[in-house]
């Protein structure tokens, strides 16, 4: 049984990233497990715990029954509490337990993907019990695992995979979020256009056009006389959009032209991951 063509790119992206994460996990020395990552509040161990936990949920495993400590400063929302459960329950697991569980989970997920016969539109249980389509679930796993692969690479000083299959899934997920960032969150003027010029391993030029009703859409056509233009490299784009850095921390890597107040408002609202 071959995977539905709609799901295949997401399965390929997940496989590429999960193999990279497994390889990094296997080679970790004792002190590296507790190294801080760019993901707020999470160590290398926590990222790997999260990846294991979310793939266990894709497998349909029951969620752990576990009381979270009250002093987790980075846990403020219901979504964060949901995500933290799979992480905190593994905080006292040994390194061999972690790598063994990751390896076993990857084997199970590979088997599940190989036997996947459901239609991409099938409704499945997503985070917080919300129903999403199977396609959305596959897409978000590919996105999530690639972003966390980058968290681990940054923490461990092992750069790479910035143009892997997961990078292109991530590009599309983040571009889908741009109209809300520009039109609603940054309150860009109606009948305006904002250009994003991204260079590096993944390159693209996109225009977010805000119509007379204040709705934003992403276009591939360059805008003439845009209200603002933001030029930055792909890695900085990802780190900003995923809330890994503040605009101030990467100000030297972002060039803005045109309406500076609008550009600053866009950058303030750029993080789209919960």
């Amino acid at each position: 049984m071959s995977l539905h063509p709609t799901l295949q790119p997401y399965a390929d992206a997940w496989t590429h990233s999960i193999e990279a994460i497994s390889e990094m996990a296997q080679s970790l020395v004792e002190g590296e497990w507790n190294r801080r990552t760019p993901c707020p509040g999470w160590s290398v161990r926590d990222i790997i715990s999260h990846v294991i936990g979310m793939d266990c949920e894709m497998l349909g495993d029951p969620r752990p029954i576990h009381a979270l400590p009250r002093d987790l400063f980075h846990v403020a929302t219901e979504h964060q509490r949901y995500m933290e459960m799979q992480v905190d329950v593994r905080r006292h697991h040994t390194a061999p337990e972690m790598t063994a569980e990751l390896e076993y989970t990857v084997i199970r997920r590979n088997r599940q993907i190989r036997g996947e016969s459901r239609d991409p539109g099938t409704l499945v249980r997503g985070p917080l019990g919300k129903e999403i389509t199977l396609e959305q679930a596959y897409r978000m796993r590919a996105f999530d695992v690639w972003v966390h692969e980058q968290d681990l690479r940054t923490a461990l000083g092992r750069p790479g995979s910035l143009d892997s299959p997961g990078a292109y899934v991530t590009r599309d997920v983040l571009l889908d979020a741009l109209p809300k960032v520009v039109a609603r969150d940054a309150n860009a003027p109606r009948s305006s256009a904002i250009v994003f010029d991204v260079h590096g391993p993944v390159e693209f030029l996109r225009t977010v056009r805000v119509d007379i009703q204040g709705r934003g859409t992403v276009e591939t056509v360059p805008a003439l006389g845009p209200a603002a233009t933001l030029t930055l490299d792909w890695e900085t784009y990802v780190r900003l959009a995923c809330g890994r850095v503040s605009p101030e921390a990467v100000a030297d890597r972002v060039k803005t032209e045109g309406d500076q107040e609008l550009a600053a408002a866009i950058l303030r609202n750029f993080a789209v991951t919960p």
Side-chain angles (χ1 to χ4, degrees):
M1 177 81 65
S2 61
L3 196 59
H4 193 284
T6 308
L7 302 179
Q8 192 67 57
Y10 304 133
D12 292 344
W14 174 86
T15 300
H16 192 282
S17 290
I18 207 76
E19 286 176 355
I21 289 172
S22 296
E23 195 176 308
M24 284 188 275
Q26 293 289 347
S27 65
L28 289 173
V29 297
E30 192 58 42
E32 290 178 321
W33 282 94
N34 295 320
R35 193 171 287 182
R36 181 181 295 186
T37 73
C39 188
W42 281 0
S43 65
V44 166
R45 170 193 298 279
D46 296 340
I47 294 276
I48 293 171
S49 295
H50 168 73
V51 168
I52 293 169
M54 291 299 102
D55 273 307
C56 283
E57 294 194 19
M58 286 288 283
L59 285 158
D61 293 356
R63 278 175 55 77
I65 297 168
H66 177 73
L68 286 178
R70 295 178 180 273
D71 59 350
L72 297 173
F73 69 92
H74 59 281
V75 178
T77 67
E78 196 54 39
H79 186 273
Q80 288 166 339
R81 288 184 62 80
Y82 183 97
M83 292 302 172
E84 196 70 24
M85 200 73 77
Q86 295 279 13
V87 171
D88 195 67
V89 79
R90 292 175 174 83
R91 281 213 164 98
H92 300 293
H93 288 195
T94 64
E97 285 172 334
M98 292 289 293
T99 53
E101 188 183 11
L102 176 61
E103 192 176 332
Y104 181 53
T105 303
V106 172
I107 290 168
R108 291 173 66 210
R109 279 282 283 133
N110 274 320
R111 190 181 301 141
Q112 180 191 42
I113 289 168
R114 282 197 305 272
E116 185 63 80
S117 58
R118 292 173 290 179
D119 184 85
T122 304
L123 290 177
V124 296
R125 188 179 186 276
L128 276 77
K130 180 185 173 187
E131 282 201 329
I132 58 175
T133 66
L134 188 64
E135 181 181 350
Q136 286 173 311
Y138 267 64
R139 187 182 197 228
M140 292 316 293
R141 281 310 298 135
F143 165 68
D144 187 60
V145 173
W146 183 83
V147 170
H148 289 311
E149 177 195 346
Q150 292 304 315
D151 287 333
L152 294 175
R153 288 185 178 282
T154 301
L156 299 168
R158 303 183 198 178
S161 292
L162 281 168
D163 60 350
S164 67
Y168 289 92
V169 174
T170 298
R171 175 199 63 188
D172 294 343
V173 169
L174 297 179
L175 283 173
D176 284 351
L178 264 188
K180 176 182 175 292
V181 168
V182 172
R184 195 166 86 185
D185 300 341
N187 199 25
R190 298 182 178 204
S191 302
S192 67
I194 294 84
V195 170
F196 295 85
D197 186 356
V198 177
H199 55 89
V202 175
E203 290 188 324
F204 55 90
L205 182 72
R206 294 291 187 275
T207 299
V208 176
R209 205 169 288 281
V210 183
D211 67 16
I212 196 69
Q213 277 85 36
R215 291 187 299 258
T217 52
V218 177
E219 298 178 358
T220 56
V221 183
L224 296 174
T229 300
L230 289 83
T231 304
L232 64 165
D233 66 274
W234 166 237
E235 188 175 6
T236 302
Y237 185 99
V238 169
R239 294 177 75 194
L240 281 167
C242 296
R244 279 16 183 198
V245 288
S246 67
E248 294 75 25
V250 290
D252 60 326
R253 301 186 68 167
V254 182
K255 181 184 174 188
T256 57
E257 296 174 81
D259 186 334
Q260 293 300 305
E261 282 188 22
L262 175 58
I266 291 169
L267 290 169
R268 274 198 310 274
N269 292 282
F270 211 64
V272 294
T273 54

